[in-house]
Amino acid sequence: MEVRRPTIEDWDNPGDLVTINIGPSHPAMHGTLRVIAQTDGETIVSAEPEIGYLHRGVEKLGEHLTYHQFIPITDRLNYCSAIANNVSYEMAVEKLMGIKVPEKAQVIRMIMMELARIADHIVCIGILGVDLGAFTPFFYLFIQREEIYEIFEWYNGARLTNTFGRIGGVEADLPEDFEERWRKLLPNLKKAIDETDKLLTHNRIWMDRTIGVTAFSPEDALSWGFTGPCLRACGVKRDLRKDEPYCFYDQVDFEIPVGKHGDVFDRYIVRMIEMEESIKIIDQAIKIYKEFPPDAPLMAKVPKIIKPPVGEVYSAIEAPNGELGFWIKSDGSDKPYRIKIRPPCYMVYQAFPELVQGEMIADLIACLSSLNIIAGELDR
Amino acid sequence: MNWVIAIIKVVFIWTWCLLWATVMTWAERRGSAMIQDRLGPNRAGPFGLFQPIADGIKLFTKEEFRPKTARKILFNLGPILFAIPAFSAYAVIPFGDKIVIGGKEILLQVADVNIGFLYVLAIGALAVYGIVVGGWGSNNKYSILGGLRSTAQLISYEVPWGLALLAAVFVYGTFDLRQIALEQTGTFLGFLPNWGVFKQPLGFLIFTVAAYAEANRVPFDLPEAESEIVAGYHTEYGGMRLGLYLFGEYVNLYTLSALCVTLYFGAWNLPYIDMSKFLGPISYGIASFVVFWLKVMVFLLSFIWVRWTVPRFRYDQVMRLGWKTLIPLALFNLLITALFIQLTV
Amino acid sequence: MGLKEDVQNTLGELALDFLECQGDLSVTVPKDKIVEVLTKLRDNLGFNFLSDVFGVDNSVFYEKLAKAKAKKKKGEEDKEEEPQGPPPPRFEVVYLLLSLETNKRLAVKIQVPEDDLVVDSVTCLWKAADWPERETFDMFGIRFKGHHNLKRLLMWDEFPAHPLRKDYPLEGQGEERILEYND
């Protein structure tokens, strides 16, 4: 049934509406988001997101740092999956310089990126549960996220801001007992996903709260520039890992989950399935990894001081949130002339007023969590 | 002499409720930790049992902050209006059968009034004032929203709640809670304990759902939905004012559980066993008290269990459930009960 | 590569200049024809997805280029794009397009001179251009005609400068000190 959503024009006197300022200091605003909502009772007539509370001038910083120095800055974009940001940036610089990365390094990158994807989806689903009042899955998932972070720490010493990889490859081989650790983690991770599924997916209240809430049509989603799980939830089968394969994604076998209505439930379920697909990818990638000899090169020949030729490239990967792209313009010096980051949730979040209009306050929160807006990458 | 006993009973049940409300905060935190693969607070005392005391001291010693724009009188009145009904509702609910000391029979109940039932309903309805007054007095949009949600919710769920209780009254034929408890001895249909839950299964379900809503517990915790409206009606409260709200909530839980046990789970009666036959007068009194308390604890723990398992409803869904599902069901239950009684009596 | 010819054929003389770098194609088009160009590309070549819109401040880039050229080739005469007369436009606005069918990407660039910082908004073609255009306005001061809500996005409304311009210092100019707080 099509329900007409009220708009702000329906009110002769907008003073009848109540302005509710949600955030930036609000339990559900993930730190630094702010939404100014006009409400009629509990119904949202219009909502205006205000961003910039975490704006640190990353792009400006990039113009004043050398190519290597910028890698740690990329950690601070989507801090839930720093590795994907690192790799995306490194791939852009490598493309600019025309460097071919050794295959073994590519496999390591792939394994790490998928681990980061699982960690990112865990954050999204866990927080979505918390925001809808279901606390327990959050802990089930976050315990496993800690384990993933243990692996990251074991590999490169950092847990959250990994600064993974170098331009031209990766810094080190996987630890010897990596596979062992992964095998140890795997059953627990699967169990946590499974238990979350049991607690939420077929829960009547959960279904009522998520199905049909902030549904979005694929046409609108494409027009708004959606990418990643939010786009796939709308029913568009698009994934850069399949469409523009990089690393070894064309050699592993995995499915792209696609939703139908683009509502909160679809976004949730797409992320749930993607975690399982990521597990599949890691398993296959470890097989590929084992085919390489232990002394296979991990770094391409890269000059000590990186001075790419004059030019401009755009390179994007499928980060956990969607298409994360770096557009880099080089003027031939050792610092990028201009770096433009294309953060996935930036594009998603701008459609927020349209998404939540006519829904209730509780739906606004659910929608925001399901979009997985990370302020670090939103504001840069 | 009688008034001494009355005062002792009042003081006892008051501290008892407070004690278990306090233990409930501990059980909530430890229980949720158990459900969520965590440890929970385990530093203060054995198993962290002194944690509530630490919390209490913290609440008492915190600054009594009042926002500049809040309505002073209403703001101060809110927590009091919330706590008083919570503490006074227990007055008519029994906490055991009776104890005979020195030849004097003492009922384990503060006031054995013959309309105890109506008293609980009336006092329960008063609790909403505390929330609304606090929410309004805070002069904060989130607080007002929380207060409004709470009003709508409490009023909506009072109806099915009252209807479910009414059906129970049909069954027992009395408003006297003690009398109701006494009726639940022996067996029902020859093999079941003669408990209200077997005579009123639907009524019990409606009562439980409505009780969760009355107590503002997940999945009906919309008035204080943390992720939506910060903390709802007590957003602006801190210190002991907040403490009164929190304690009042747990005392409410205790009262509701006790009411549920009294009405549907045989009060202090054990199934198939009549304790009074083989226990002395004093030990029987104590045993009936312990049995009643254990049953209440089971309900309290179920509140915790549910809270950490299910998500929260949305406002319109709560209303829909209340008005479109529970009230028709409760009316249906009432009708069936009335017909059954009419046919059998 | 077929893409360049396709774009050339579709745009005709609207395509002023092509740049190819590591397989990435970008085409420069006249500033006032941007909506027309993007409509053509979207309808005829299937570039139906707008990835991003952003600005570039090329002032320092031109300086460096000129310096390098002067250093390297003193004897040779200038034959490339750098015109002798008017200086090249300072700003560039880049539109990153993507074709969902062929997975090809194309960057469309317009050059915006400093004395005429008004560009037609493309929010009529893709809603996705909403915030990126606001950000470009915020960071470079380029105005988008037809944008429904052109105000600062990342910086606060009273912010006096455009921080991503090359003449804006990295440390800022102390704007936070003039912030007024109303009680």
Side-chain angles (χ1 to χ4, degrees), chain B residues 77-106:
Chain B
L77 206 59
I80 300 169
L81 281 185
F82 187 75
I84 287 175
F87 282 112
S88 44
Y90 203 90
V92 295
I93 302 172
F95 47 91
D97 189 3
K98 60 190 172 195
I99 192 162
V100 184
I101 302 175
K104 186 157 178 58
E105 195 176 83
I106 302 168

Side-chain angles (χ1 to χ4, degrees), chain A residues 18-22 26-28 42 131-136 139-140 143 199 203 205-206 208-209 213 360-363 365, chain B residues 32 35-38 141-142 145 149 218-219 221 226-231 307-317 320:
Chain A
V18 178
T19 309
I20 292 186
N21 176 45
I22 307 171
H26 182 282
E42 291 252 341
D131 283 350
L132 293 188
F135 276 85
T136 304
F139 287 99
Y140 290 167
I143 290 167
L199 267 170
N203 185 323
I205 302 176
W206 180 264
D208 281 349
R209 282 299 307 275
V213 170
M360 305 192 93
I361 293 176
D363 296 334
I365 306 295
Chain B
S32 68
I35 292 174
Q36 294 163 350
D37 280 1
R38 299 184 285 124
K141 282 171 186 166
Y142 293 125
L145 264 182
R149 282 181 176 191
V218 169
D221 68 333
E226 190 213 344
S227 57
E228 293 155 26
I229 49 175
V230 190
R307 170 160 183 184
W308 300 106
T309 308
V310 294
R312 178 187 307 128
F313 276 113
R314 202 171 59 205
Y315 176 70
D316 59 328
Q317 291 162 351
R320 201 180 309 140

Side-chain angles (χ1 to χ4, degrees), chain A residues 163-228:
Chain A
T163 318
F164 167 82
R166 302 287 177 262
I167 292 164
V170 293
E171 66 271 39
D173 202 351
L174 287 177
E176 270 173 26
D177 58 347
F178 175 82
E179 201 194 341
E180 200 181 309
R181 274 176 167 255
W182 169 246
R183 294 274 164 253
K184 226 168 87 189
L185 162 71
L186 191 57
N188 295 334
L189 182 62
K190 275 185 175 161
K191 196 175 162 215
I193 297 173
D194 196 41
E195 282 184 342
T196 308
D197 186 61
K198 276 184 197 156
L199 267 170
L200 298 182
T201 308
H202 293 290
N203 185 323
R204 187 69 243 173
I205 302 176
W206 180 264
M207 286 157 84
D208 281 349
R209 282 299 307 275
T210 54
I211 290 178
V213 170
T214 62
F216 219 45
S217 72
E219 294 79 26
D220 278 346
L222 286 174
S223 177
W224 276 111
F226 276 35
T227 48

Side-chain angles (χ1 to χ4, degrees), chain A residues 245-256:
Chain A
Y246 49 94
C247 291
F248 277 85
Y249 281 114
D250 46 354
Q251 291 180 28
V252 291
D253 174 39
F254 65 102
E255 296 290 319
I256 305 172

Side-chain angles (χ1 to χ4, degrees), chain C:
Chain C
M1 210 177 142
L3 184 61
K4 189 173 172 180
E5 283 75 57
D6 283 346
V7 175
Q8 181 80 65
N9 292 339
T10 315
L11 295 181
E13 56 197 39
L14 285 176
L16 300 177
D17 188 18
F18 285 95
L19 176 73
E20 239 176 316
C21 179
Q22 305 289 352
D24 277 13
L25 184 71
S26 53
V27 53
T28 311
V29 300
K31 179 175 88 114
D32 41 356
K33 295 278 193 317
I34 180 65
V35 176
E36 188 189 333
V37 167
L38 291 186
T39 316
K40 269 186 187 169
L41 288 174
R42 184 184 71 171
D43 297 343
N44 300 342
L45 284 184
F47 284 106
N48 47 6
F49 189 86
L50 182 71
S51 252
D52 208 349
V53 180
F54 53 89
V56 184
D57 178 2
N58 276 331
S59 53
V60 179
F61 186 70
Y62 290 136
E63 270 169 37
K64 275 190 186 166
L65 223 58
K67 234 182 254 169
K69 199 171 274 176
K71 214 190 277 173
K72 225 194 267 173
K73 321 171 181 174
K74 274 190 180 131
E76 289 176 43
E77 69 269 54
D78 289 333
K79 54 188 174 182
E80 263 118 57
E81 74 263 59
E82 179 143 22
Q84 286 298 325
R90 177 174 175 187
F91 296 107
E92 241 175 30
V93 177
V94 185
Y95 299 80
L96 292 180
L97 301 182
L98 166 68
S99 163
L100 292 177
E101 280 77 42
T102 58
N103 291 319
K104 278 181 180 155
R105 289 178 189 273
L106 175 70
V108 179
K109 297 198 282 191
I110 52 173
Q111 304 212 305
V112 185
E114 203 173 356
D115 48 4
D116 180 22
L117 288 173
V118 182
V119 180
D120 286 334
S121 169
V122 297
T123 42
C124 50
L125 301 178
W126 290 283
K127 291 172 185 168
D130 186 348
W131 279 11
E133 284 185 353
R134 275 175 71 184
E135 194 193 331
T136 312
F137 162 68
D138 192 358
M139 293 295 159
F140 294 95
I142 297 168
R143 284 164 200 284
F144 289 86
K145 206 165 75 190
H147 192 286
H148 64 100
N149 183 23
L150 193 68
K151 58 178 190 186
R152 284 185 179 273
L153 182 71
L154 295 174
M155 312 308 286
W156 60 98
D157 287 348
E158 298 82 20
F159 193 79
H162 298 289
L164 268 183
R165 289 188 177 184
K166 283 285 175 185
D167 50 9
Y168 186 86
L170 179 66
E171 305 79 29
Q173 295 168 336
E175 286 88 355
E176 70 279 2
R177 267 178 256 133
I178 58 165
L179 257 183
E180 280 178 17
Y181 296 98
N182 301 325
D183 192 19

